[in-house]
Amino acid sequence: MARVIRIHDYGNPSVLQVETSDAGEPGPGQILLRQDAVGVNAVDTMMRRGEFGNPLPAVLGVEGAGVVEAVGPGVEGYSAGDRVGYFFSVGAYATERVISAESLIPLPADIETDQAAAFLAKGLTAWMGIRALHRLQPGEVILVQGASGGVGSILSRWARELGATVIGVTGSKEKLTQVQAGAHHALHAAHPEVLEAVRGVAADGVDVVYDLVGQATAELSGRAVRDGGEIVAIGAASGPPRDYGRLSSRRGIRLVRGSTPQYVNPSTDQHITAELFAAVRKGVFRDLKIAHYEFEEVRRAHEDLERRKLSGLPVLRTSSQS
Ligand SMILES: NC(=O)c1ccc[n+]([C@@H]2O[C@H](COP(=O)([O-])OP(=O)(O)OC[C@H]3O[C@@H](n4cnc5c(N)ncnc54)[C@H](OP(=O)(O)O)[C@@H]3O)[C@@H](O)[C@H]2O)c1
């Protein structure tokens, strides 16, 4: 029997229940996957709280990696024993699951299973920011709101590697050192002179703000971006922002939004994940740690994420992992 983490009600982390369940047999186009590592993402906590109104009961999670156990009729290109990952398929909090073969990404030999579960969803979201929503150019000055978080820490490092000047902003003062490790400049969002510090780097304002925080930092985002610049609004870790609209009409600021599956999907994901894995292989993210939790510790992982106390990219480890 597989173990799954299921909710029967929306609410705080106490609604997360570890249960047993039969994963079932793979049908046409499907694969039975043994999951060794399961990624934890902010969206999981939103689903748990009921923000998407997903039907109950529900197995949460959208990202995982492991080994193909069995292949359903009509599946080509995969066989038992292959290592694979995926980044957006609901039902990931499970030690085994049946999943559409279309959702899977083969893992190269030098990408660890837990690296895949840690980096796919967050790294591909960062890719969307720097390659699709705004095609980042060397020499551009960017400000990353939420540079201490999962997506922001990857995006900052990748943008720096591509030749942008990166100002990373953290919500927690104690994470300044870790933001500094991935950016040219590190600032604390609540510091009274944060805007002056941005202007010290880019006198007219930054070319692009990447916003992963939303409400709490929207005003700073608007004031930090230059006239005619861009706000790339990817996330809203502090709640939805209120006043981007006014800004864009008054000062010619372009507001861009997007959701990762719009840009990274089965028709595009092979070359995009290859780009992400190349950056991992090159060591662009070498200082980023994975925060491992045992599968049964899922409540603690959610609490740490929501309290902004994560010590790395969060991954649930199932006991099958070596
Ligand atoms: N558009 C998409 O398709 C897509 C895909 C993936 C994620 N997202 C969204 O992107 C956001 C970030 O995801 P993530 O995985 O990076 O989350 P995360 O690891 O939890 O990071 C959240 C970040 O937000 C900062 N933050 C939170 N509240 C803040 C506040 N009041 N003031 C200043 N900073 C604050 C945190 O700063 P400190 O930790 O320094 O306090 C941290 O840097 C989430 O809203 C997520 O849902 C969107």
Side-chain angles (χ1 to χ4, degrees):
M1 291 288 269
R3 283 172 294 142
V4 299
I5 295 160
R6 195 177 269 132
I7 60 168
H8 295 267
D9 295 296
Y10 303 129
N12 67 30
S14 68
V15 299
L16 296 161
Q17 307 285 345
V18 180
E19 299 177 356
T20 52
S21 177
D22 183 0
E25 296 295 318
Q30 293 182 324
I31 270 174
L32 175 64
L33 179 64
R34 187 192 82 212
Q35 304 209 117
D36 294 329
V38 174
V40 177
N41 288 284
V43 70
D44 307 346
T45 64
M46 296 164 79
M47 286 189 181
R48 194 205 69 223
R49 294 193 297 264
E51 292 179 25
F52 297 111
N54 42 297
L56 296 175
V59 176
L60 297 188
V62 297
E63 176 179 37
V67 176
V68 172
E69 295 236 296
V71 170
V75 172
E76 287 177 12
Y78 291 106
S79 44
D82 289 348
R83 270 183 341 114
V84 294
Y86 60 90
F87 67 93
F88 203 88
S89 176
V90 177
Y93 285 2
T95 54
E96 273 186 314
R97 73 176 293 190
V98 166
I99 185 167
S100 150
E102 232 195 5
S103 311
L104 299 178
I105 292 153
L107 298 185
D110 59 354
I111 299 294
E112 306 282 346
T113 306
D114 61 348
Q115 270 182 318
F119 276 93
L120 278 172
K122 298 168 192 73
L124 296 171
T125 301
W127 179 95
M128 170 180 73
I130 58 175
R131 293 295 209 196
L133 296 179
H134 173 87
R135 204 163 169 87
L136 197 62
Q137 303 300 319
E140 287 187 308
V141 182
I142 70 166
L143 183 137
V144 183
Q145 300 275 23
S148 44
V151 177
S153 59
I154 296 172
L155 192 150
S156 302
R157 284 160 180 77
W158 211 343
R160 185 178 61 176
E161 173 70 14
L162 293 173
T165 296
V166 180
I167 305 172
V169 183
T170 168
S172 307
K173 203 172 164 190
E174 60 274 18
K175 296 183 189 169
L176 271 169
T177 313
Q178 122 194 14
V179 169
Q180 181 68 67
H184 297 93
H185 308 274
L187 303 175
H188 178 212
H191 192 284
E193 285 169 18
V194 65
L195 190 60
E196 287 74 2
V198 173
R199 297 284 176 177
V201 180
D204 296 330
V206 301
D207 298 306
V208 187
V209 171
Y210 285 102
D211 200 348
L212 298 154
V213 178
Q215 199 171 97
T217 55
E219 190 185 337
L220 174 60
S221 295
R223 296 176 78 189
V225 68
R226 67 169 168 78
D227 290 359
E230 279 189 10
I231 297 178
V232 179
I234 296 177
S238 67
R242 280 184 288 265
D243 53 1
Y244 283 149
R246 235 169 0 100
L247 275 168
S248 40
S249 54
R250 252 201 270 139
R251 294 174 40 215
I253 295 165
R254 207 162 80 91
L255 176 65
V256 196
R257 297 176 199 272
S259 133
T260 315
Q262 284 174 267
Y263 294 91
V264 193
N265 49 54
S267 64
T268 60
D269 61 14
Q270 302 298 329
H271 82 267
I272 298 173
T273 49
E275 209 179 325
L276 173 65
F277 291 151
V280 171
R281 194 171 290 128
K282 197 172 173 191
V284 174
F285 316 117
R286 73 168 73 78
D287 64 310
L288 293 182
K289 297 195 170 30
I290 297 176
H292 288 109
Y293 296 83
E294 297 307 321
F295 193 71
E296 288 72 15
E297 292 181 307
V298 62
R299 290 181 182 176
R300 189 163 68 82
H302 275 226
E303 281 161 11
D304 287 352
L305 192 150
E306 288 175 306
R307 291 179 186 161
R308 294 150 63 182
K309 297 291 177 209
L310 289 173
S311 58
L313 306 172
V315 164
L316 304 177
R317 198 158 40 181
T318 70
S319 51
S320 62
Q321 192 176 39
S322 55

